[in-house]
Amino acid sequence: MYKTILITGGAGYIGSHTSYLLNQLGYKIIIIDKFVHNQNFNQPWAKLIKADIADQNILNQVFAENKIHAIMHFAAFIEVGESVKKPKEFYENNVSKTLNLLNTMLIFGINKFIFSSSCAIYGNPTNIPIDENHQFAPISPYGKNKLCVEFILQDYAKTYDLKYVSLRYFNAAGALPKYNLGEQHDPETHIIPLMLRAIKNNDVFKIFGSDYKTNDGTCIRDYIHVLDIAQAHILALKYIEERNQSNSFNLGSEKGYSVKEMIQEAENICNKKMNSKIYDRRPGDVDVLIADSTKIKTILGWKPKYSDLKFILKSAWKWECKNIFPMKKSASLKNLKTMYN
Ligand code: UDP
């Protein structure tokens, strides 16, 4: 019998690629997603429930009617800047609702949980590359949300029958255009789609700050292909199944590129110049973020296969060329109906 995985936020960027990989491996997938980014849904293999994870009736129904083997929890607000403006909404959405999900899964005897955490829990790094022993000093409410959930998971795992893996993502990037999967946020705030759209539409790409403590003055980030992130979720599930333990891992390519280097690479891939202009710094951005991913490589045997920057940009460019933006208008949450594929 195929095992069923519940993916919250499975219609989102990382959730959808993980869902694809789980399906390839023969898992059955149920997705709960409230479509905050107005994205299209391109996963005929999954059962989709359009709902908020805070909807207790839906959760009860899903857990009662399905034998859920594990939960992969991607559903969250992700925009760091927004989290500063709307901490209440962020704590409610990213912490309270996660707590409720955990409490409900435990009532139904589900005990395997994989959590989308973030390198934002480390704050402004004191040393590079960042390993898991780096101090926790999140700057934004978003980073604090992720850390709160990590603390909840630690405490719950000590006391209750819960096994979890937290994956602390660095910068997710790239796409799987062959399966109509890629980055679709509305509004888009991430560097790669914005750069590629600037090239495609002859728009200006805004460089946020050129006075950072880096060689060329622009921020350095660690870009990791979304399929390598998806693969880490599969290994995390195996870890829980086989070792019956909990753990937290960084997930990055261990290579850093500045914004200016990214522009150069994108121009090479697209064979076209980009119009770019220096703007003020974006609040909350730190100079350099590069992962030390030794722990996940050693313990889970994770090996990034797709995280070469050229490959990341090529896959993202194919996706951008294939897709027509802006995205479709989606119904308001009030009107969303439960829908099964
Ligand atoms: N960035 C930029 N212009 C943009 C979007 C992003 O210069 O239009 C920079 C941003 O300041 C950061 C890097 O690109 O240094 C990565 O930002 P992104 O929002 O993609 O990811 P984050 O690191 O915030 O998770």
Side-chain angles (χ1 to χ4, degrees):
M1 249 255 307
Y2 291 128
K3 290 175 177 157
T4 301
I5 310 293
L6 176 66
I7 308 182
T8 74
Y13 177 38
I14 305 174
S16 61
H17 288 78
T18 307
S19 164
Y20 157 80
L21 206 55
L22 284 164
N23 173 61
Q24 292 283 305
L25 296 170
Y27 288 93
K28 278 172 66 182
I29 292 140
I30 299 177
I31 289 173
I32 300 184
D33 198 298
K34 65 175 172 177
F35 286 77
V36 278
H37 297 294
N38 293 336
Q39 66 272 45
N40 296 313
F41 187 73
N42 298 325
Q43 302 173 56
W45 56 80
K47 182 161 141 181
L48 171 66
I49 301 164
K50 281 188 174 178
D52 193 313
I53 53 160
D55 188 328
Q56 192 64 50
N57 290 333
I58 295 269
L59 279 190
N60 290 343
Q61 195 184 338
V62 170
F63 289 149
E65 289 178 359
N66 301 278
K67 193 169 166 358
I68 306 287
H69 176 63
I71 297 179
M72 297 194 179
H73 180 43
F74 297 90
F77 291 159
I78 57 164
E79 232 195 283
V80 174
E82 277 295 295
S83 79
V84 178
K85 290 187 210 147
K86 298 179 179 166
K88 183 169 147 289
E89 284 81 354
F90 270 69
Y91 275 96
E92 191 182 332
N93 195 66
N94 294 354
V95 182
S96 298
K97 291 180 186 178
T98 302
L99 190 58
N100 185 56
L101 174 67
L102 282 168
N103 291 340
T104 309
M105 67 181 263
L106 290 178
I107 290 170
F108 282 87
I110 301 155
N111 72 346
K112 297 176 188 60
F113 192 77
I114 297 169
F115 176 57
S116 297
S117 188
S118 164
C119 62
I121 65 170
Y122 298 119
N124 220 333
T126 53
N127 45 299
I128 295 286
I130 303 169
D131 68 18
E132 289 81 357
N133 297 320
H134 189 283
Q135 66 172 8
F136 297 137
I139 298 164
S140 63
Y142 170 76
K144 290 174 191 170
N145 292 168
K146 293 290 177 184
L147 187 56
C148 276
V149 173
E150 287 218 18
F151 285 146
I152 292 168
L153 289 171
Q154 281 175 19
D155 287 338
Y156 270 40
K158 276 183 206 146
T159 306
Y160 308 123
D161 179 23
L162 171 74
K163 297 289 176 271
Y164 75 88
V165 168
S166 276
L167 296 172
R168 298 171 183 164
Y169 310 152
F170 282 66
N171 287 58
L176 188 56
K178 194 172 161 199
Y179 289 90
N180 291 318
L181 298 176
E183 202 163 356
Q184 281 185 324
H185 300 113
D186 184 17
E188 189 51 75
T189 59
H190 291 110
I191 181 170
I192 294 179
L194 289 175
M195 276 187 339
L196 299 179
R197 280 176 217 174
I199 292 183
K200 192 169 140 194
N201 305 325
N202 294 317
D203 291 337
V204 173
F205 173 74
K206 299 177 180 175
I207 299 173
F208 294 139
S210 61
D211 57 350
Y212 284 95
K213 283 185 237 117
T214 59
N215 281 345
D216 63 20
T218 63
C219 294
I220 293 179
R221 294 288 179 272
D222 173 329
Y223 297 91
I224 170 161
H225 197 286
V226 66
L227 275 182
D228 286 328
I229 298 184
Q231 178 62 18
H233 286 74
I234 310 293
L235 296 171
L237 180 59
K238 264 201 186 149
Y239 174 83
I240 295 176
E241 287 169 349
E242 288 170 6
R243 303 210 203 167
N244 200 28
Q245 285 174 15
S246 298
N247 218 327
S248 305
F249 302 98
N250 281 350
L251 195 47
S253 69
E254 305 184 304
K255 288 187 207 92
Y257 294 94
S258 73
V259 174
K260 283 190 178 164
E261 286 170 334
M262 294 292 286
I263 292 174
Q264 183 67 57
E265 289 288 348
E267 287 178 340
N268 292 344
I269 296 293
C270 306
N271 206 15
K272 196 175 158 195
K273 278 294 253 189
M274 184 189 318
N275 298 318
S276 62
K277 212 175 146 206
I278 312 273
Y279 278 69
D280 287 344
R281 286 179 174 213
R282 193 175 63 174
D285 277 342
V286 301
D287 306 73
V288 181
L289 289 172
I290 302 174
D292 179 336
S293 298
T294 308
K295 186 177 173 192
I296 191 165
K297 287 179 175 168
T298 312
I299 297 180
L300 299 194
W302 175 77
K303 268 194 216 139
K305 276 203 268 178
Y306 307 102
S307 293
D308 166 70
L309 187 61
K310 285 190 177 45
F311 184 82
I312 287 177
L313 288 169
K314 268 187 200 160
S315 67
W317 179 236
K318 257 194 199 159
W319 161 253
E320 288 295 334
C321 293
K322 208 169 168 182
N323 281 277
I324 298 153
F325 294 90
M327 259 97 55
K328 64 170 190 200
K329 288 257 174 297
S330 82
S332 75
L333 239 198
K334 240 192 332 192
N335 299 328
L336 290 178
K337 285 191 308 248
T338 303
M339 180 182 102
Y340 291 96
N341 276 351

